[in-house]
Amino acid sequence: MNRRVLILGMGGHFGSVAARAFRAAGWNVDRYHRGTDMTVAARGVRWIINAMNPPNYHDWEHQIPEITTKVLAAARDSGASVMIPANVYVYGREPGPWRATTAHHPCTRKGRIRAEMEERYRDLASEGRSVVMLRAGDFVNPESPTTLLNRIVLKDLRKGRITAMGKPEARRTYADIGDLTQIAVALADSADSLPGLLDLGYPGTRFSFRELADELAGQLGRKITIKRFPWTALLLASPVWELARELREMRYLYDMDHAIDGTDFKALFPDFEPKTVQRLVFEHLYMRGMKVVPDQGAKMSTQTSL
């Protein structure tokens, strides 16, 4: 059976870890090089994994549709199935838990761009092609300094504080990239046996900034304070800093409780258990070389500074 996969965006968060996971599982992994003919690159592959996103949300308005057009053409020419790491932007402020049947009502420009992109992949699936949307919340990866968790939230951890990008009590959904790419590999083995769309939500690990601070305090044996992210400063920087403009648009996701329904995922992977917040915290501390103290039986309290 063909076990060749073409990964787009192999230098990014998802693509780099996915490449390792597929190789470890015995797949032949081809890397797509930007600027080359994607249709030619996809010939002879079983799956196209589209993990290509412009860094720091750069020029999504034009680049996402261009990438989508190329992927669709390559899939139609080669007959390859397509897998996309999908996000939750398309749901906007729809009440959760979010699932495949939840209406797409994006409330941001980036959400609209992603919703339009997904519609084009749905059209491909309606032609009898196999399309998988592996949907998850914010990526976490203790090895990557550029995830928002590492780049912003835990930036000042050695000083005894974390930065909450929204309401400290809002519970949000996160996906460990190591877990998520293992699921991608498992899906690649059989998800193309039936044509059509599989929109699969990964429930991941759900916690608030308050719960994160509590867990950090318990494992470090010290008090951890919570400071608020300076959204006002981003507003002032927006005219000259593209990432500041793009992050501001997504602020709502840090202030609202949200969750991904795990019913469909559990039906496919009944024995799979996402990492706990305790495990995620331990791995991030380990990668920072920060000493974890023995369980003291009670977590230390946290404080919030505004």
Side-chain angles (χ1 to χ4, degrees), residues 139-144 147 149-150 154 157-158 176 207 212 216 219 277-290 292:
F139 291 160
V140 294
N141 180 1
E143 298 179 8
S144 173
T147 63
L149 190 67
N150 280 323
L154 301 178
L157 182 58
R158 291 187 181 277
D176 177 81
F207 57 88
L212 175 63
L216 286 163
Q219 293 198 31
V277 65
Q278 291 84 3
R279 182 66 194 179
L280 290 177
V281 165
F282 174 81
E283 290 179 355
H284 280 76
L285 293 177
Y286 179 83
M287 289 302 299
R288 283 174 164 73
M290 300 181 72
V292 175

Side-chain angles (χ1 to χ4, degrees), residues 128-139:
R129 309 279 182 170
S130 295
V131 176
V132 173
M133 294 183 190
L134 181 54
R135 196 177 303 279
D138 276 2
F139 291 160

Side-chain angles (χ1 to χ4, degrees), residues 109-141:
R109 183 177 58 88
K110 286 188 287 297
R112 174 182 57 78
I113 292 168
R114 293 289 297 200
E116 291 171 353
M117 179 199 81
E118 289 190 12
E119 276 303 307
R120 297 179 68 186
Y121 284 115
R122 290 175 188 274
D123 289 343
L124 179 68
S126 70
E127 299 171 12
R129 309 279 182 170
S130 295
V131 176
V132 173
M133 294 183 190
L134 181 54
R135 196 177 303 279
D138 276 2
F139 291 160
V140 294
N141 180 1

Side-chain angles (χ1 to χ4, degrees), residues 3 11 13 32 51 63-64 96 111 128 154 179 197 202 212 219 241 245 247 254 278 291:
R3 288 174 65 82
H13 289 309
Y32 172 70
Q63 293 201 41
I64 294 295
L154 301 178
D179 282 356
L197 174 70
Y202 174 60
L212 175 63
Q219 293 198 31
W241 186 17
R245 293 193 299 274
L247 274 179
Y254 294 94
Q278 291 84 3
K291 184 178 180 180

